Amino acid sequence: MAKNRGGLDIRLKRAYDDPADGDGCRILVDRIWPRGVSKDDLALDHWLKDLAPSTDLRKWFGHDPQKWDGFKERYFKELDGCSGAIDQLLEWGRQGRITLIYGAKDTGHNNAVALKAYLEKKIAGKL
């Protein structure tokens, strides 16, 4: 996978998948620790709970693909209020590959996928 516009290499990985040497900086972006995974097994560099969707938004979404567009819109508004954590994440990304770690079963509709899209829009100057 090539770097996106702006030079950042952002990957996604489930918390239940084994860490790899090529992951770069591993950052958990869930508010809740992944069930059944030890701290050592997760091999995190950082845990940014503040970038996870609010409890209300997470419950409203419920990983329902039909609510995906609405979830992203609401989540992006929440992320707009997290500029410090977003700036930190972008700084780590400028230093090398980052892998956003998440616990959701749905690999296509989760907060890490939405966060990556948000970061890419921000890098491209579209936010």
Side-chain angles (χ1 to χ4, degrees), residues 10-123:
I10 304 168
R11 308 287 174 103
L12 304 175
K13 193 173 223 181
R14 286 194 74 223
Y16 303 98
D17 296 336
D18 292 334
D21 290 339
D23 288 344
C25 183
R26 292 172 50 87
I27 306 154
L28 180 62
V29 293
D30 286 347
R31 191 168 305 279
I32 301 167
W33 191 266
R35 191 173 296 154
V37 180
S38 75
K39 198 173 201 177
D40 288 339
D41 288 344
L42 205 48
L44 290 178
D45 294 295
H46 306 284
W47 183 9
L48 292 179
K49 294 180 199 178
D50 292 345
L51 291 182
S54 65
T55 300
D56 287 344
L57 179 56
R58 185 175 46 82
K59 287 180 179 179
W60 172 82
F61 176 47
H63 295 283
D64 179 350
Q66 292 184 343
K67 294 181 178 179
W68 178 239
D69 290 336
F71 169 77
K72 285 193 306 184
E73 182 179 324
R74 293 174 187 194
Y75 184 38
F76 284 12
K77 286 179 184 174
E78 289 185 357
L79 290 170
D80 286 341
C82 299
S83 60
I86 291 293
D87 289 346
Q88 179 63 72
L89 192 55
L90 291 172
E91 179 57 32
W92 290 328
R94 285 189 278 278
Q95 295 172 18
R97 176 178 295 157
I98 60 174
T99 299
L100 305 179
I101 308 296
Y102 64 94
K105 290 179 184 175
D106 185 337
T107 59
H109 303 94
N110 63 65
N111 63 297
V113 171
L115 177 56
K116 181 180 180 197
Y118 178 89
L119 293 170
E120 289 171 344
K121 284 183 175 221
K122 189 141 186 93
I123 292 163

